[in-house]
Amino acid sequence: MVLPVSRRSLIAGSVAATAGALAPVSAARAAVPPAGRQMPGAYRYRVGDFEVTAITDGISRRPLAGDFVRNAPLEEVQAALSMAFLPTNTLSLPVTPLVVNTGRRLFLLDTGNGDLGAATTGQLLENLEAAGIDPNAIDAVVISHFHGDHINGLRSKAGEVAFPNAEIMVPAAEWAFWMDDGAMARAPEAMRGAFQNVRRVFGPMAKEVMRFEADTEIAPGLEALPAYGHTPGHTIFRIRSGSAGMLFLADTTNLPALFVRNPTWHVMFDMDGPAAAETRRRVLGMAADEGLLVHGYHYPFPAAGRIGRHGDRFRYVPVDWNPVL
Ligand SMILES: [Zn+2]
């Protein structure tokens, strides 16, 4: 038999239920404070016998400037962002250095912003630690080019080196340009800071920095390929183990949603726009034709994927998460 329930007892019951939910009746029902921060950002995969770990340094955000893409109307840039379901007034540029363990040596490719970037970057060291990688165990740091988001992680604001046991390896062409006092004197005022920053990072260690030529195997399984245009000595790396291979693209393209789809577009950071575009077409073509895995320094984390070719355009397809190696 169902007893009639009065409106008054319903209300009283719901008040009691609410009070019960607030009371800490058991640990399982206690309110858990939000974590308020992201989890460590590291993703590991294999290339042949090599173990590769992508480590996020974070993301830098900037308003979308009218000249972010120098040779395309803002509306077209916003349409491309919109197609990729990205905001059309701000840009989020991920920064992802790469650790390569060849089994003989431990390499770090590019170093992030260190403590000189925005509060949303500078996470490399804590994420290395979360990935179980000791900065003291890095044998060599290999640099693609001398923009701050690639070299600032080498040395803190206070002057301390982050990888004290590592050999520092840089492209000879990049060194020749940025360390040239004449080039600094001729550079527009807006670039003066970048020259000074290169001297801040490398000056105290200049004698020990190893400068490698393009098109050389700088270590077994690690080949430096010229990819000039973004900067005068911008270099990419081909990582090879057995029949497996991948390309560390560095800044061959900035955000894939813009510059893989539209390889002729020049990002404002490309120092020689037409040369950078020519390099982009060539390198993306090589990745597509050889089916190579690529790592894009400013691609969405974990910054690994493949390039498909569609006529004179390309498409970036990120890898699927892999729970095992
Ligand atoms: Zn960059």
Side-chain angles (χ1 to χ4, degrees), residues 145 147 149-150 230 250-251 254 269 297-298:
H145 67 293
H147 281 161
D149 55 324
H150 298 254
H230 178 66
D251 285 15
N254 198 276
F269 313 120
Y297 195 73
H298 297 298

Side-chain angles (χ1 to χ4, degrees), residues 1-324:
M1 181 178 143
V2 180
L3 292 170
V5 182
S6 76
R7 187 174 159 77
R8 174 184 286 264
S9 71
L10 261 181
I11 291 166
S14 70
V15 169
T18 306
L22 289 175
V25 289
S26 77
R29 286 191 182 181
V32 175
R37 52 167 301 155
Q38 188 49 270
M39 286 175 285
Y43 183 68
R44 190 161 278 155
Y45 51 96
R46 273 176 149 338
V47 176
D49 292 333
F50 293 0
E51 200 174 82
V52 175
T53 311
I55 309 275
T56 180
D57 187 55
I59 280 186
S60 64
R61 297 201 168 89
R62 53 167 58 229
L64 174 63
D67 63 346
F68 183 73
V69 180
R70 286 205 196 277
N71 59 342
L74 182 60
E75 309 80 72
E76 279 185 35
V77 176
Q78 288 179 314
L81 289 169
S82 189
M83 283 258 293
F85 301 99
L86 293 169
T88 55
N89 53 356
T90 54
L91 292 163
S92 292
L93 307 182
V95 176
T96 310
L98 196 70
V99 174
V100 179
N101 186 347
T102 68
R104 293 165 62 182
R105 292 183 88 195
L106 193 60
F107 292 91
L108 171 65
L109 275 53
D110 287 346
T111 66
N113 283 285
D115 57 1
L116 278 103
T120 49
T121 64
Q123 301 179 350
L124 175 71
L125 292 178
E126 63 179 275
N127 284 324
L128 275 174
E129 189 185 346
I133 300 169
D134 179 355
N136 295 311
I138 303 281
D139 294 304
V141 178
V142 184
I143 298 291
S144 66
H145 67 293
F146 287 2
H147 281 161
D149 55 324
H150 298 254
I151 62 172
N152 283 345
L154 279 171
R155 185 184 298 283
S156 72
K157 246 188 284 190
E160 219 175 308
V161 291
F163 308 100
N165 300 322
E167 180 179 14
I168 311 298
M169 307 171 86
V170 308
E174 194 70 353
W175 184 274
F177 174 75
W178 292 98
M179 295 304 267
D180 176 4
D181 291 338
M184 181 158 84
R186 288 189 297 275
E189 188 56 40
M191 268 181 64
R192 216 51 65 76
F195 276 92
Q196 277 153 2
N197 187 53
V198 167
R199 283 156 174 73
R200 177 191 72 82
V201 171
F202 293 113
M205 56 168 93
K207 283 206 189 75
E208 296 104 78
V209 173
M210 186 272 190
R211 300 167 222 168
F212 56 79
E213 299 300 329
D215 280 320
T216 51
E217 193 171 46
I218 58 173
L222 191 57
E223 192 184 345
L225 304 174
Y228 303 156
H230 178 66
T231 63
H234 180 263
T235 296
I236 63 172
F237 301 99
R238 189 177 184 125
I239 297 158
R240 224 193 280 258
S241 170
S243 61
M246 70 170 287
L247 280 182
F248 179 89
L249 296 177
D251 285 15
T252 299
T253 94
N254 198 276
L255 287 183
L258 295 178
F259 302 99
V260 173
R261 279 194 73 83
N262 304 283
T264 59
W265 285 6
H266 308 167
V267 70
M268 63 194 297
F269 313 120
D270 285 345
M271 290 172 65
D272 179 339
E278 174 51 33
T279 291
R280 205 148 37 242
R281 208 183 47 77
R282 174 174 64 81
V283 172
L284 293 177
M286 175 166 87
D289 298 345
E290 297 185 35
L292 290 170
L293 187 67
V294 298
H295 168 91
Y297 195 73
H298 297 298
Y299 289 17
F301 192 74
R306 287 196 161 72
I307 304 291
R309 188 201 274 276
H310 301 269
D312 55 1
R313 287 187 173 209
F314 296 93
R315 183 172 53 109
Y316 173 64
V317 183
V319 293
D320 284 354
W321 168 267
N322 188 351
V324 291

